[in-house]
Amino acid sequence: MTAQPRFLQIHTLSAYTAALLNRDDSGLAKRLPFGGVLRTRVSSQCLKRHWRHAEDVHSLYGIAGVTEDFRSRELVTTKVMESLREQFPGEIVEALEPEVQAAVYGPRGVEKKSRQTLLLGAPEIDWLRSETERLVNVALDAGDGDVDRAAELAAKAAKAWRDDYHANFRAMREATALPGGLAAALFGRMVTSDAAANITAPVHVAHAFTVHEEEAEYDFLTAVDDLAADESSTDLIHETELTSGLFYGYVVVDLNGLVSNLGGDADLAGRVLHNLVYLVAEISPGAKQGSTAPYGRASFMLLEAGSRQPRSLAEAWRTPCPANVDRAVAALASHLRALDDVYATGEERRFMSLADEEIPGAERGALADIAAWAEGVVARDMP
């Protein structure tokens, strides 16, 4: 393959033992019915959050040229208004804050409980801060030292500013690299109060699930009161679920979309992909870290670069497979051969594996080899 591929697909098999990786609202492991049996599941949201927040040598935010982002219902309150209160009279800041909150979070966003959790990048927050500072300074100058008068003028100026907010915010984004930060550039953003602020996700993440039927037990635990007269005194009795499993993970990267979201910088996109491959292989999702140490690395990873529509390999385990990496990789290889015979889509492939099974049309290597290959895939000339 010499032309720039459109998609990079990442397939993984990762094992975890006696863990509770991702819980539902009742505190139990998330599950997924597939092939007539229940599987243990890890949600895509959980996976993406751990990759984004990984404090690792391959952290996404350690890449030169990447900008930070923040997800909260209090972005204006903490990232904009707090800095204003340190510089200007509180009455003026309080007067304009409702209009700024409504501009960013929508008409009902004045109250925290009515706001959606919003993702903004550092450039967007910096712009909001500079705009609000400008409004305060204009009001102070016009108020001629009268704080109450300046507060009235600030409120009026903020209302007028809000009317033009979306157009001005759009112009700023179009003129700024990574305005929404890296998380938005990778995983997208939806803003119900401003459709123009939406960002299409080029990285698509499936829910991971076990290739076999769920393996779970309930762990009965107690906590002993160290200060109780009776050394056998139990202060707490509790029950929690533990699961074990070999999980199939699947990620698709729209390479053109990734480069576009990164301001057209293919080299930056390559560095992001390089680190993302490492994170997918090495960073473990997991609750209850202190009591289960849910740390593991992928036993298998397959990368595919091509221009045809991506397709998951989940069908390889519709019939549950033993929780054994050799058997699971063999099932994947068999299913992939069948797909190749029927569709002949011609993806270029690289893989790493702890199993002996070879993968059709794929070159074996270490994690460093396939991560470097992923970086080079996106560095080819874009169409």
Side-chain angles (χ1 to χ4, degrees):
M1 178 186 297
T2 57
Q4 166 69 34
R6 181 179 173 188
F7 300 106
L8 180 72
Q9 300 180 76
I10 305 173
H11 310 267
T12 56
L13 290 169
S14 303
Y16 297 94
T17 305
L20 186 55
L21 299 179
N22 191 200
R23 291 175 282 188
D24 63 16
D25 57 349
S26 62
L28 301 177
K30 289 190 174 181
R31 289 169 165 81
L32 172 75
F34 182 57
V37 300
L38 282 178
R39 319 292 182 101
T40 308
R41 172 173 65 93
V42 178
S43 73
S44 58
Q45 295 91 334
C46 176
L47 294 168
K48 288 184 287 187
R49 179 170 177 80
H50 281 82
W51 299 337
R52 286 194 298 114
H53 290 277
E55 296 180 1
D56 187 81
V57 65
H58 295 107
S59 166
L60 293 171
Y61 294 96
I63 300 171
V66 162
T67 57
E68 285 187 295
D69 46 72
F70 306 91
R71 188 190 306 272
S72 176
R73 288 189 294 170
E74 295 195 272
L75 291 171
V76 171
T77 304
T78 60
K79 292 294 183 180
V80 179
M81 293 302 159
E82 282 187 6
S83 65
L84 261 64
R85 289 188 178 91
E86 295 172 358
Q87 305 173 59
F88 304 106
E91 298 93 326
I92 301 176
V93 177
E94 295 295 333
L96 62 82
E97 180 174 2
E99 294 295 339
V100 180
Q101 296 281 14
V104 174
Y105 287 100
R108 296 168 54 188
V110 176
E111 298 293 330
K112 176 183 174 180
K113 64 181 180 180
S114 300
R115 301 172 197 156
Q116 71 172 129
T117 300
L118 187 61
L119 176 69
L120 291 181
E124 294 172 329
I125 292 171
D126 290 343
W127 180 82
L128 283 169
R129 191 179 297 117
S130 67
E131 284 290 288
T132 51
E133 288 179 2
R134 180 181 61 81
L135 291 173
V136 173
N137 282 317
V138 169
L140 281 172
D141 289 343
D144 196 23
D146 185 334
V147 173
D148 291 336
R149 174 61 177 159
E152 291 181 15
L153 294 172
K156 291 180 181 179
K159 189 176 187 305
W161 172 84
R162 177 184 165 190
D163 292 338
D164 297 326
Y165 165 78
H166 292 306
N168 292 334
F169 201 41
R170 186 181 308 115
M172 179 278 298
R173 288 196 307 267
E174 292 172 351
T176 305
L178 281 177
L182 185 61
L186 292 180
F187 304 119
R189 176 173 71 182
M190 185 182 73
V191 183
T192 56
S193 61
D194 182 7
N198 292 344
I199 298 174
T200 300
V203 180
H204 313 153
V205 183
H207 296 251
F209 66 91
T210 53
V211 300
H212 50 82
E213 189 171 1
E214 65 173 345
E215 297 178 341
E217 72 159 2
Y218 286 95
D219 180 36
F220 177 82
L221 59 94
T222 63
V224 176
D225 187 340
D226 290 339
L227 300 182
D230 181 357
E231 290 186 359
S232 64
S233 176
T234 298
D235 189 53
L236 170 70
I237 299 176
H238 186 58
E239 193 174 54
T240 187
E241 185 176 35
L242 295 177
T243 65
S244 298
L246 180 62
F247 291 80
Y248 169 62
Y250 180 53
V251 178
V252 178
V253 183
D254 180 333
L255 298 174
N256 290 354
L258 177 63
V259 173
S260 176
N261 282 2
L262 295 178
D265 191 336
D267 289 334
L268 176 58
R271 295 195 298 273
V272 168
L273 273 184
H274 174 275
N275 283 22
L276 181 62
V277 167
Y278 267 97
L279 295 175
V280 171
E282 294 186 339
I283 298 302
S284 302
K288 301 181 74 65
Q289 293 181 344
S291 58
T292 66
Y295 303 115
R297 297 183 179 180
S299 302
F300 172 87
M301 174 178 274
L302 168 65
L303 306 186
E304 300 184 278
S307 296
R308 303 283 289 277
Q309 176 184 291
R311 43 76 195 115
S312 166
L313 299 178
E315 188 71 12
W317 306 284
R318 176 173 288 278
T319 297
C321 169
N324 177 287
V325 69
D326 296 281
R327 296 282 296 275
V329 173
L332 178 147
S334 176
H335 181 60
L336 192 54
R337 290 188 190 96
L339 287 173
D340 285 347
D341 289 344
V342 173
Y343 290 102
T345 46
E347 288 85 8
E348 188 175 353
R349 296 169 181 151
R350 298 291 187 277
F351 80 106
M352 69 160 199
S353 180
L354 301 183
D356 293 332
E357 182 81 26
E358 295 299 317
I359 303 301
E363 180 180 319
R364 184 190 288 259
L367 179 58
D369 300 321
I370 66 175
W373 179 76
E375 180 175 0
V377 164
V378 78
R380 297 171 183 167
D381 292 337
M382 299 299 292

